[in-house]
Every structure is written in C-alpha cells, then in structure tokens.
Amino acid sequence: MNAAQLACWTKTVIDDSEMQPQSIDDVLCLPDFMSKIKASEQLFGRAFSQLDGAIQTALVQRRAMQLVQILRVNPLWQERLCQAGIKGKLESFDEWQNLPIMEREDLEEFYMGQRSGMVVPLRHGHFQIIASGGTSGGLPIETVYSLSELRDTYALAGSFFDRHILPAYLTSADPKWMITTLSDYEMWSSGSMLGGVLQNIPSVNFIHAGPMSPPIFDHLMNFAGPKAILGMAREISGLVELGKHLGDDARESFKLAFYGSGILQPKQQDRLKEFYPKLQILSYFASNQAEAIGIEIKPNSPLAAVPGLHLIEIVDQQGRWVAQGEEGELVITRLHAQHAPILRMKLGDRMVRRAPLACDDLSAECFDFAGRSSDIIHLGESHYAAKLVLKNIGEKLMSYSGWSLPLSAYEIQFQNNRRDKVLSLIVSSDDLPEIALHNNNSQMPMSNDEIRALFVTALRAALSLFDQTDQQFSSLKSSDYQFNIEVVPRGSDKFYRTGVNKTPLIKDYFG
C-alpha cells in the first residue's frame, strides 16, 4: 500500500464518525481499539504483530489522532490542549509532536484526588486503580484504567509472548509453566499488570508465586515440564541460592528467565547459567502505565515493543523524536485507553532508538534501555550521566589492575552525599580483587589520590564534547569532593534499596 491507500484504509477501520465524539455518552458508545486490531487481522489474514510496519503505523497514527479528539470531551484536557496551541484536529505525527509531554506533576493533577482528567468519570464503574512501583522512591503515582481495555492489553501482550518468544524456549510435550515472583497483593502495585499479561499467554500454565521461600521454589520446580520465571533483576539473581537443593532434572527444567527493574550483571547471568544449564535470560521492560513496553526476543537483542499496545516515542528536550541510534526520554501513549487516556506520558527512563524489526514473522519498534532519567550524578553545578561514568571507571580499573568490574559485580550503586561532598561507588562481588579498594585497607595499591584521579578522568569523559574544557577539568580537580570505591560481599546492606526491593543506580543523600 502507498501512503494514500493506507490513509484510505485506516478511515474504513476507524470511521470519520468515530473521530469526533461530543459527550461522555458518545465516548461510551465508541468501539474499542481491540476491535480495530481484529478487523485489521481479519482483512490481511495475519496477526497484527506480523503485518508490515507501515500498516501498523498507519492504524496507530489514526488511533492517536482519535484519542486527541476524545480528550476534548474533558474540560481540563481541552484547556491543556488550547494552552499548547492545539486547537484543530491533528493529521500527522509531525503535528502530534507539538503536544505537551505529561510530567509526574500533571498525573497528580489529572488522575489523583478528584481525578478530573478522566473522560469517563469513576461513577460509571468498571475501572481499576494501580500505582507506580517506586523505583525512585517517594509517593506512588496513581493511574486509572478501564478494566475492559486493560483486559484487551493483557490478551494482546499474552498472544505476543505465545507467538514470538516462548516457542523458541519452552519446547516440550509436557505442560509449560510461567511463574512470576512479583507481588500482587497490594493496591500500590503494577505487578498486577504484569501478572495480567502472563496469565493470558494461551499455551502456558500461570503461577503467581510472589516472593518465594526455598520449600515453595523446590515444590514448583519439581512440576513436570519446562518453566519460565519473570521477576525483578535482584530476585532472578537470587534463584541460585533459592534452588541449591534442587536435583538435576528440576534445574534443567528452568529454561527461560525474564528480568526487569534493574540490570542483571554479566557475572550474575553466568552464575545462573552455570547452575541452570538449559537457561536463557531475557530482559523485560515494563512500568506503570505500560505492562509490556519492551521485551528481548532473543538474548542481547534490542527490546521489541508489542505492536498495537502503545505509541512509543523516544524524544529530545523539545519533545521531538530522536533519530535512530540517538538517546532520549521514553514517552508513551496507551492505545487502549479511551475512557481515561493519557497523551505522551514521560516514564522517567531514557532509551536509545534502534532500527525497527522487520521480518516475515514480526514487525516491531525497537529500542535499548539507557537508564533512569534520574541516573544523574550532581557535583555542584555540573551534571554527569551515571551509566557513562560507571563505564569509564570500569575501563580505567581494567587497565590499572586487570579487574573487570562488569564481569565481577553483582550489584553496583553510586551514593552521593551532597552535604558532605562524598561520592562513593559501592560494588558487591564474590571474588574481592587484590586491588580491594577499601579506603581503609592498608593493602590497597591505589592511593586516595589515584582513586580521585580515576574519578575525575571518568567524570570528565562523561561530559559532552562541548563541556570537556580545561576549565571544567580544573574545576573537577580542585573540587573539595571526596571519592571512594568500596567492594563489599554479595548481599551487603551497604546498598540503598527502595521499599519494593529495587536497587537504583544512584542514591543522593542530603542530610
């Protein structure tokens, strides 16, 4: 199809009469987006995820423009659009990028308290409230979902797992199992969204185990059949200790691990694969408002978005789409959300846009996780990307001592005491290197001056080329900040962890 044919086709799927509702009752009468996806699948005779990327994009664009018109029914949204200069119907994604980005503070105003940003009010019923998991700490942010639309997203994402991921790993005539360790017993949990996806994978049996003790884990792992387990990175890394009493057959039945909410270091992955000899490990990226943003199809591949679930944007500071290979802020719009839509919501994560996946079996947008937006080291008036600083430190340590930080570490965290001006890098490892790096260790071959020089060099290299000036270097060298590196045993309480057991890359202390 050419552009004109695509535009004509999308108007047959989402009719012009559905593009301009005038009231809440009109919105309640609109067909849901899942019906549009099914109509497309019926027309082309293939799953939506298998359709050509241009066809997927055309329908997503039509839906996005429809959501803008739906939101005009709500006075608060109408005011927001007018203040941004959006007064008429949008016709393209170029115009779409002029829409304002939804920040955390906007969510509080629109979807908490009186929840005045909803198009269909809560009094109509059949909604669910879920709050953020708290990666960065602080109070949760609530989001409201239509239950029927939420079930549609679970079905769509579950089918994606069933068609494009699990067949390559769970190969057996025995029953197949999907297990998650995520909590699902609190109102304040987006784990219920992930559980909703996993229990809608057609070909597997679902177990919501929650946090597991060794007896429960032993019991589940001795069920006949191959198993996949999804959990936070820290929980997946702990499955070696949890399974230390398992027999060979049980260990070999663990075929696939999905980890999210953190980084599973190479050292942790190697240890898991050594203990579970048939295991493959994939990254699963999800968040409140987005139960399945991106999933690795195979190890070390970019994250693939589930087609038809969200409009995913990677944007610059002006809210415009970055080019392939460039890094930007992750912004999403739920496509199945006409009762309580949120346009262009910033999730607080940074991504690198990658080339779309295009093959006979799957067309999908792709990206790589680059870190939390809050992963910034603040030293005085200067800001440094923590992941890049960490990479630079790792390279310097390798050249100095031959010790590989990425391959040896289980957990890594910068702790920045901004009052006392002390920046520490905490690393957990089993094989404490000879270069022990404890500042109070008399055997440490690196002096405090050498550690300081290492940090200063790594910080300076993390600046943009424009900022890598002699003045900036001199400012760093003369700063009264102190720098430490401390290697601690695995499981150490030196790390700051959030209330939901996540270990952020950077923790600031002000008092």
Side-chain angles (χ1 to χ4, degrees), residues 28-48:
L28 287 168
C29 291
L30 287 174
D32 58 50
F33 188 54
M34 184 62 105
S35 68
K36 308 302 182 182
I37 287 179
K38 290 180 177 178
S40 305
E41 292 177 333
Q42 185 173 8
L43 174 65
F44 293 103
R46 306 192 77 189
F48 189 76

Side-chain angles (χ1 to χ4, degrees), residues 252-263:
E252 290 185 3
S253 74
F254 187 12
K255 305 289 189 179
L256 185 58
F258 294 98
Y259 70 93
S261 296
I263 301 297

Side-chain angles (χ1 to χ4, degrees), residues 16-32:
D16 283 343
S17 64
E18 300 169 358
M19 292 294 291
Q20 215 159 0
Q22 301 298 310
S23 66
I24 293 171
D25 288 338
D26 287 351
V27 174
L28 287 168
C29 291
L30 287 174
D32 58 50

Side-chain angles (χ1 to χ4, degrees), residues 460-474:
R460 187 193 188 202
L463 291 167
S464 68
L465 289 175
F466 180 79
D467 289 326
Q468 288 182 22
T469 62
D470 290 338
Q471 181 181 359
Q472 186 71 261
F473 188 49
S474 297

Side-chain angles (χ1 to χ4, degrees), residues 258-273:
F258 294 98
Y259 70 93
S261 296
I263 301 297
L264 204 59
Q265 301 291 342
K267 180 76 171 180
Q268 295 170 311
Q269 297 201 28
D270 290 344
R271 188 164 173 266
L272 281 161
K273 291 177 181 179

